[in-house]
Amino acid sequence: MNALFYISAIVAVISTLLVITRANAVHALLYLIVSLLSISLIFYLFGAPLAAILEVIIYAGAIVVLFVFVVMMLNMGPQTLVQEQQWVRRRVWLGPSILGAILLAELIYITMAGGGHTTTARVIGIKAVGLTLFGSYLLGVELASLLLLAGLIGAYHLGRRKFHRTVSRGTS
Amino acid sequence: MIQWLWIIPVLPFTGFLLLALSGARLPRRLVAVVGAGSVGLSAMAALMVALDFLTGTSPHAYKQTLWVWWRVDGFQPAVTLYLDSLSVVMILVITVVGFLIHLYSTEFMIGDSGYSRFFAYMNLFVGFMLILVLADNLVFLYLGWEGVGLCSYLLIGFWYKEPRNGYAARKAFVVTRIGDTAMAVGLFLLFNQLGTLHIQDLMMRAQQTWPSGSIYPVAAALLLLGGAAGKSAQLPLQTWLPDAMAGPSPVSALIHAATMVTAGVYLIARTHVLFTLAPKVMALVAILGAVTLLLAGFSGLVQRDIKRVLAYSTISQIGYMFLALGVGAWAAAIFHFMVHAFFKALLFLGAGAVIQALDEEHDMFKMGGLRQQMPVTFWTFLIGSSSLSAIPLITAGFYSKDQIIWLAYSSVFGSGWLWAAALAGALLTSLYTFRLVFRVFFGSPRSQIKHHPGPAIKISLVVLAIFSIAGGFIELPKSLGNLHLFSDFLQSTLPSPLVAKGRGALETMFEIISMAVSLGGVFLVYLFIFRMPRLTQRLAQSSMGAFLYKFWFGGWGFDTFYDHLITRPYVWVARVNRHDFIDGLFTAVAWINRTGYRTIRRTQTGRLRGYAMGIAAGAILIIGMAVLL
Amino acid sequence: MMISLPMTHGLILAGILFALGLVGVLVRRNIIFMLLSIEIMLNASGLAFITAGAQRGDPDGQIMFLFILTMAAAEVSVGLALILQFYHRFKTLDADAADRMRG
């Protein structure tokens, strides 16, 4: 079982790395799906089946699909590929890589300082999660629904075609 | 009655306060009443105080301490008013002539928008001048001294919208400042050596501790002379007075004829004990007076502007007063001061009336024949001019000026040279004065007057004319009545001059000579202008004549000389030193701000990635701090 | 299925993924990729929560992950709508094109 965890972890890291380095948007999205799936597996191994399922359904199944829709809709064409390749150059990676490395070092340091105790992961089923969710965290659920409502209305309003004409009249 | 001494300076100050705080909101008539009334009431108070002083059995001096001004280490000058015969004469002249000038101004300045400001400044001036002459100690006197300098600046530059007037005001202030600094150093010296600045004590101690002719009285007297020369526009600080004519005519009359410029004469008369201890300085005073009166006489002869002629005339007449002081004729100097105040104020007021009637025309060559159009002005101006030229017997000027001319020869300090200079000056006086009179009032009219002077102006002119005639009859020389009312009155404060042996007998002859000189001057001018105009033209156009004309017109080149000697190097140094390090400190503050702004501005790229980078870096930094600390 | 491993490894994995996502945000110029990288970061933080929850034996970790998911969904929808507006306005997906706020 531990080996499974490490294999999925490596897959996740490599595919994430590939996501951020691809020039083609659709390729990056597909690699992201791979990464999400491997993480979902890790969730399952940690005894969180609900989280695993939700990761696949919502994250990989809805959010990434949304991305795919937008990319398809924008339909940039082959010149964008060239442009992307121009933008992603070696020189540009230096600074952020250093920052990322420092951050990683700090996080690892903090984590190791806490001490690593080995525990056997217990499976926490959907029922248990549901009881706690609608028990102690009911308020959070209501707030989340409000958030989703706001997101819905915002997305609808901002995505209107006609909207940008009034926008451009007002701002230009 | 004499206890009301304090109200004499307080009234003008009250007038100033009222007008300064609310004058702009009051109607013109009320401003005139407050402005002229305060000085008028002060004049009445002065008359009553003088009456009490004359008739009372009080000692020859009266002191009134109001409060102690400040105390520093045993030195406590007090606000004390000191009244003796000299102060009585001064306050009477200042308040009475001042009141007449204020009365004149109520009508003269009626069209001006700064009406209340004018009267506020004039009242302030009269208050400070009264402090100057009533002061008991030199510190308090210096307060009045500085105060009149300030008011002179404010009033010369009264029409401040014209930059030329501001320049003239600054010039006056800076030049007198040089004299004031010398005077301040003199005060320091006196205090350092004698331990007090209380005038009477000072004089006593100086007499006791300093032998005559030693370095201290010479130095102190020289420094005080510097201050007096600055304020009274004598050599070498006389350059400011002709330019000071940029102010309104009442200002020229009050400040630059009757009162402020005579403050130097008053100072020397007050501290005469100090000067008698330094005979060399007295000789310098006499020489200075003689040279100045000649210099100014020549300059006045070639001027075109009415007021500039009168300004040079003032410098010249004060030269006479200095000459009198230099030969030890203290009372004669004060006598001439009083008479001069009358006729010079009259002349300036008359000139103002002429200028206003001709719509601000100053050039006398553009005037003529005003005799018929402005009769009152003409007759009073004529009386004033006659007094100035010392026309014999009928004018006050004759008695005062002649006394000086006589004593310039006969005093122990006098000499034939001084007498000759004074006589030449009298000739010049007649020349330039009657040149002015003939050009303005006689001949064919070149312009029509726009409006006639009103009652207030006429009354002031007439009263001053009466004084110009009658003011002299209190001091008659031996041959004409031997009346010594004035000098006897001043005897307690100012001792009589010592007459050198053997010279007294020539008095009558010398008088006839001076009478001839003044009348002869008038006759000469008449000849040159009316009988021989072509000769005059040819003289003026000859090379020597033209050179002299330009030289005298520019005041003997003093302005140019000072410009090259002092002004230009100073401006050059200032320009070179523009970026000195103290300036650098201040510009550095601005520079730091601007550079910091420019640097921080670069971080605002407007680009999302840059900001994201900043947030990430900051977060990492903070986490790092939390980890490490 | 139970595994026994030090939970720190899970957290380290979350840290690696988070750092990768951060680098992606900072490097890429295309807005869509920036949003994508943000999603990676969110996912990584979710992983950290799940790990902590598994260690404690609580359902709290999964609940937190649920909320994160909800928020990510809302944010992505609004973000993508904004990207559409961005594209309509600037005719490009270059994030550097929007620098009107330059000082």
Side-chain angles (χ1 to χ4, degrees):
Chain A
M1 289 305 147
N2 289 10
L4 208 55
F5 166 75
Y6 288 114
I7 293 173
S8 334
I10 290 172
V11 170
V13 169
I14 291 177
S15 57
T16 310
L17 198 63
L18 287 171
V19 167
I20 60 178
T21 50
R22 292 302 97 197
N24 191 330
V26 181
H27 290 183
L29 286 165
L30 292 174
Y31 278 118
L32 183 63
I33 292 178
V34 171
S35 166
L36 292 173
L37 286 177
S38 54
I39 290 180
S40 162
L41 181 59
I42 294 174
F43 285 168
Y44 187 75
L45 288 174
F46 277 178
L50 178 63
I53 292 173
L54 285 178
E55 173 93 354
V56 173
I57 294 177
I58 296 179
Y59 230 118
I63 293 177
V64 175
V65 167
L66 210 56
F67 266 104
V68 171
F69 280 169
V70 170
V71 168
M72 295 299 171
M73 207 174 8
L74 289 179
N75 197 18
M76 310 266 270
Q79 71 271 23
T80 57
L81 201 61
V82 176
Q83 201 177 46
E84 281 290 336
Q85 278 166 343
Q86 271 179 339
W87 284 345
V88 179
R89 290 232 175 271
R90 292 294 148 93
R91 198 168 39 96
V92 183
W93 286 90
L94 186 61
S97 307
I98 292 176
L99 272 177
I102 297 175
L103 180 63
L104 191 58
E106 286 174 354
L107 289 174
I108 291 175
Y109 177 76
I110 294 174
T111 317
M112 297 313 275
H117 21 253
T118 316
T119 26
T120 314
R122 212 168 33 98
V123 175
I124 299 168
I126 299 177
K127 189 168 178 187
V129 173
L131 280 172
T132 321
L133 185 65
F134 286 93
S136 326
Y137 296 103
L138 187 57
L139 192 58
V141 173
E142 301 300 328
L143 288 174
S145 65
L146 274 176
L147 178 64
L148 284 171
L149 181 66
L152 181 66
I153 295 176
Y156 162 72
H157 182 68
L158 288 171
R160 281 195 300 170
R161 273 274 171 164
K162 290 197 184 68
F163 179 79
H164 81 271
R165 232 182 284 151
T166 54
V167 166
S168 42
R169 234 197 304 136
T171 54
S172 51
Chain B
M1 207 68 272
I2 206 169
Q3 315 87 281
W4 292 103
L5 180 60
W6 59 272
I7 212 167
I8 299 179
V10 163
L11 277 169
F13 279 128
T14 320
F16 161 72
L17 273 174
L18 274 172
L19 290 172
L21 292 175
S22 61
R25 280 169 280 168
L26 299 173
R28 294 255 152 135
R29 202 158 293 179
L30 192 57
V31 169
V33 165
V34 170
S38 62
V39 182
L41 284 173
S42 192
M44 276 204 301
L47 280 166
M48 290 199 288
V49 162
L51 218 63
D52 198 9
F53 184 80
L54 282 170
T55 59
T57 53
S58 41
H60 70 278
Y62 171 74
K63 254 204 306 202
Q64 190 179 43
T65 306
L66 297 176
W67 70 88
V68 176
W69 194 4
W70 37 274
R71 288 170 234 262
V72 172
D73 194 24
F75 175 56
Q76 30 189 12
V79 173
T80 309
L81 303 176
Y82 181 79
L83 191 74
D84 63 358
S85 40
L86 177 58
S87 325
V88 165
V89 171
M90 302 295 294
I91 59 174
L92 279 177
V93 171
I94 295 170
T95 49
V96 172
V97 175
F99 170 65
L100 288 170
I101 295 178
H102 277 76
L103 180 63
Y104 173 95
S105 312
T106 55
E107 191 187 309
F108 187 79
M109 301 291 293
I110 195 90
D112 200 290
S113 57
Y115 198 64
S116 60
R117 182 165 59 101
F118 180 80
F119 278 102
Y121 288 159
M122 293 282 269
N123 276 8
L124 187 65
F125 170 81
V126 172
F128 273 127
M129 191 72 203
L130 286 167
I131 284 186
L132 201 161
V133 299
L134 284 172
D136 180 40
N137 56 66
L138 285 175
V139 183
F140 197 37
L141 188 147
Y142 197 67
L143 172 71
W145 191 272
E146 292 295 310
V148 299
L150 168 72
C151 293
S152 169
Y153 167 80
L154 289 171
L155 284 164
I156 295 175
F158 182 70
W159 292 312
Y160 55 85
K161 298 214 171 94
E162 180 79 27
R164 220 169 22 103
N165 300 344
Y167 174 74
R170 281 199 303 282
K171 183 174 175 184
F173 196 75
V174 169
V175 173
T176 49
R177 206 65 186 126
I178 300 174
D180 295 347
T181 315
M183 183 172 160
V185 174
L187 294 188
F188 295 152
L189 175 67
L190 285 171
F191 182 67
N192 191 317
Q193 291 301 313
L194 296 174
T196 176
L197 283 177
H198 181 113
I199 297 182
Q200 309 307 317
D201 286 348
L202 196 64
M203 297 299 121
M204 257 195 335
R205 285 192 209 181
Q207 242 173 354
Q208 285 162 2
T209 47
W210 287 342
S212 169
S214 64
I215 184 69
Y216 286 124
V218 168
L222 263 178
L223 289 165
L224 288 180
L225 173 63
K231 235 350 159 240
S232 298
Q234 298 296 290
L235 232 66
L237 297 169
Q238 88 284 14
T239 50
W240 63 271
L241 192 51
D243 287 333
M245 296 299 115
S249 297
V251 169
S252 309
L254 182 61
I255 300 187
H256 307 125
T259 42
M260 186 183 95
V261 289
T262 53
V265 177
Y266 170 75
L267 178 69
I268 298 182
R270 249 292 170 242
T271 56
H272 69 268
V273 172
L274 196 62
F275 280 83
T276 46
L277 286 174
K280 288 208 184 63
V281 181
M282 273 184 65
L284 180 64
V285 172
I287 295 173
L288 219 62
V291 175
T292 310
L293 72 91
L294 284 176
L295 234 63
F298 281 117
S299 287
L301 198 50
V302 298
Q303 299 296 322
R304 293 177 70 106
D305 185 335
I306 299 185
K307 285 177 68 174
R308 276 183 95 96
V309 175
L310 294 176
Y312 279 110
S313 170
T314 305
I315 300 176
S316 185
Q317 297 305 307
I318 299 178
Y320 270 102
M321 297 179 216
F322 268 58
L323 175 59
L325 291 171
V327 298
W330 320 104
I334 300 298
F335 185 39
H336 193 56
F337 148 74
M338 184 177 80
V339 176
H340 172 263
F342 295 144
F343 63 67
K344 198 41 79 60
L346 168 62
L347 286 173
F348 267 111
L349 295 184
V354 167
I355 291 174
Q356 204 180 47
L358 287 175
D359 239 358
E360 302 305 319
E361 177 59 66
H362 284 242
D363 191 341
M364 73 168 103
F365 285 90
K366 299 209 178 86
M367 306 179 192
L370 291 177
R371 183 161 47 120
Q372 291 91 5
Q373 300 180 49
M374 305 174 71
V376 175
T377 315
F378 166 63
W379 282 107
T380 53
F381 201 88
L382 187 63
I383 292 174
S385 306
S386 313
S387 206
L388 172 56
S389 313
I391 300 293
L393 296 177
I394 45 168
T395 58
F398 166 68
Y399 296 108
S400 66
K401 193 185 278 190
D402 256 33
Q403 204 180 34
I404 295 180
I405 298 180
W406 163 241
L407 286 168
Y409 174 73
S410 62
S411 158
V412 281
F413 295 103
S415 77
W417 290 108
L418 292 173
W419 172 78
L423 211 56
L427 177 65
L428 283 171
T429 310
S430 297
L431 287 176
Y432 64 65
T433 312
F434 275 90
R435 167 179 178 258
L436 180 64
V437 170
F438 288 148
R439 283 260 176 245
V440 172
F441 290 102
F442 287 79
S444 47
R446 281 177 215 228
S447 39
Q448 292 297 320
I449 61 171
K450 302 291 189 300
H451 53 258
H452 293 261
I457 293 184
K458 286 193 192 149
I459 292 177
S460 323
L461 292 176
V462 167
V463 173
L464 283 171
I466 295 176
F467 278 138
S468 299
I469 297 182
F473 292 141
I474 53 176
E475 182 88 4
L476 305 173
K478 276 207 204 73
S479 44
L480 293 165
N482 205 15
L483 200 59
H484 300 140
L485 285 177
F486 195 74
S487 40
D488 285 344
F489 177 58
L490 284 176
Q491 184 72 21
S492 48
T493 331
L494 301 173
S496 305
L498 303 162
V499 175
K501 281 196 269 280
R503 296 186 188 172
L506 297 167
E507 189 172 344
T508 326
M509 190 175 83
F510 274 37
E511 258 168 50
I512 298 179
I513 296 179
S514 32
M515 280 199 248
V517 159
S518 51
L519 283 172
V522 180
F523 186 61
L524 263 177
V525 178
Y526 172 73
L527 278 182
F528 270 111
I529 293 188
F530 292 111
R531 291 286 170 231
M532 303 191 287
R534 274 161 297 141
L535 178 62
T536 324
Q537 283 276 66
R538 263 191 293 142
L539 270 177
Q541 277 155 2
S542 70
S543 55
M544 181 62 148
F547 166 74
L548 278 176
Y549 181 86
K550 248 186 34 183
F551 188 55
W552 291 339
F553 191 78
W556 292 67
F558 267 94
D559 273 323
T560 335
F561 176 62
Y562 285 147
D563 186 43
H564 280 101
L565 180 70
I566 300 177
T567 318
R568 283 195 201 180
Y570 189 78
V571 170
W572 179 82
V573 170
R575 202 176 303 137
V576 159
N577 199 31
R578 229 182 337 172
H579 299 296
D580 63 345
F581 79 98
I582 298 214
D583 261 348
L585 275 175
F586 291 105
T587 42
V589 171
W591 180 86
I592 288 174
N593 270 307
R594 227 178 284 135
T595 314
Y597 151 72
R598 244 180 264 133
T599 317
I600 296 179
R601 190 191 192 209
R602 290 231 208 91
T603 63
Q604 257 202 318
T605 53
R607 287 202 242 152
L608 188 57
R609 284 191 304 149
Y611 294 161
M613 179 79 96
I615 294 173
I620 290 169
L621 208 66
I622 293 178
I623 294 175
M625 282 206 298
V627 162
L628 294 170
L629 300 171
Chain C
M1 268 172 274
M2 287 168 251
I3 52 168
S4 54
L5 51 83
M7 287 308 163
T8 50
H9 290 194
L11 290 176
I12 290 173
L13 175 64
I16 294 174
L17 290 177
F18 188 85
L20 284 174
L22 179 66
V23 168
V25 169
L26 297 176
V27 166
R28 299 308 295 255
R29 232 163 115 163
N30 192 327
I31 284 208
I32 291 186
F33 278 96
M34 290 169 88
L35 200 52
L36 209 54
S37 308
I38 291 176
E39 292 309 312
I40 298 173
M41 287 159 81
L42 281 171
N43 191 35
S45 57
L47 174 60
F49 271 107
I50 296 286
T51 312
Q55 185 192 338
R56 286 159 48 137
D58 268 348
D60 289 353
Q62 294 188 49
I63 291 172
M64 195 58 215
F65 175 74
L66 201 69
F67 287 143
I68 291 176
L69 208 58
T70 313
M71 189 223 79
E75 168 227 334
V76 161
S77 46
V78 174
L80 285 173
L82 280 173
I83 288 179
L84 283 180
Q85 289 297 331
F86 185 93
Y87 181 70
H88 283 311
R89 181 150 166 69
F90 290 103
K91 302 290 178 280
T92 174
L93 283 177
D94 185 0
D96 288 349
D99 62 353
R100 279 275 302 268
M101 292 284 276
R102 254 188 97 211

